[in-house]
Amino acid sequence: MTAATYQYVDLPDASIVTTRALLTARENIADTVAARAMMCIHGDAGFGKTLAVNTCLHELEGTRGEEVCRVTFRARPTARAVRYELFDVLSLPGEPPRHPSEFDRLLKTALAERPRTFLVDEAQWLNGEAFEYFRYLWDEPATQIAIVFVGGAGAHTVLRREPMLSSRIFIWQQFTRLTPAEVLEVVPLFHPIWEDADPADITFTDEQAAHGNFRAWAQLTAHTRTALERTGRPRQDRDLLRWAFSRLA
């Protein structure tokens, strides 16, 4: 399976690798969707959260016909902003209602029509008011929604401050750095330029630049691939790798 769809950088020939974190996410998301529950996946930037979640939800869309609605916020939204975003994501007809109570009735009616899973990405931007509005919709007995919150450490912090919502989170999953052993196992499967690489070079790259961060590995792979093409070298060496490191400095 290629990583083209959800990858941070455009990297030809890259593959999605089933890391332990991705396998755990697959199980956790499937259980959350089956229970029509809410879960939170959190961790620092670049650890593969969004790619893993999109991959798992794409599988559910294909095998179970689950309808997935993807929502992303780039600033701290109010409940009003969440209403309008959901109106657009659900492709509801007509104009958005002017009054909050009427708007809420419309959304509840739409969300009761059939099962849906919401992926709320960049959830660290949500404040207590926005989280509370998602809880309000989810708590409505007639709605048939599961919600997967994905975000940085801030998402976990804000959620934990909201007892009404935190107590309703079905599963918490934290994404962390790849361990040195995982790096040696995963990176050769990630891209062909690492398939026959000296394990010592992979360890060197991780210690000097990538530090177990999958996004950094994607960036370094792109730069290393460029260097190989430009120099005509058959494989990477320490000088070439150091050049790639310099682009991340």
Side-chain angles (χ1 to χ4, degrees), residues 206-220:
D206 195 58
E207 291 175 347
Q208 296 297 314
H211 311 298
N213 185 302
F214 225 128
R215 184 175 297 170
W217 268 108
Q219 293 170 327
L220 284 164

Side-chain angles (χ1 to χ4, degrees), residues 157-176:
T157 301
V158 175
L159 274 169
R160 284 298 191 187
R161 288 177 184 162
E162 303 293 327
M164 291 282 287
L165 183 56
S166 179
S167 64
R168 288 166 169 77
I169 297 298
F170 187 54
I171 296 174
W172 300 85
Q173 181 181 348
Q174 181 179 14
F175 270 60
T176 58

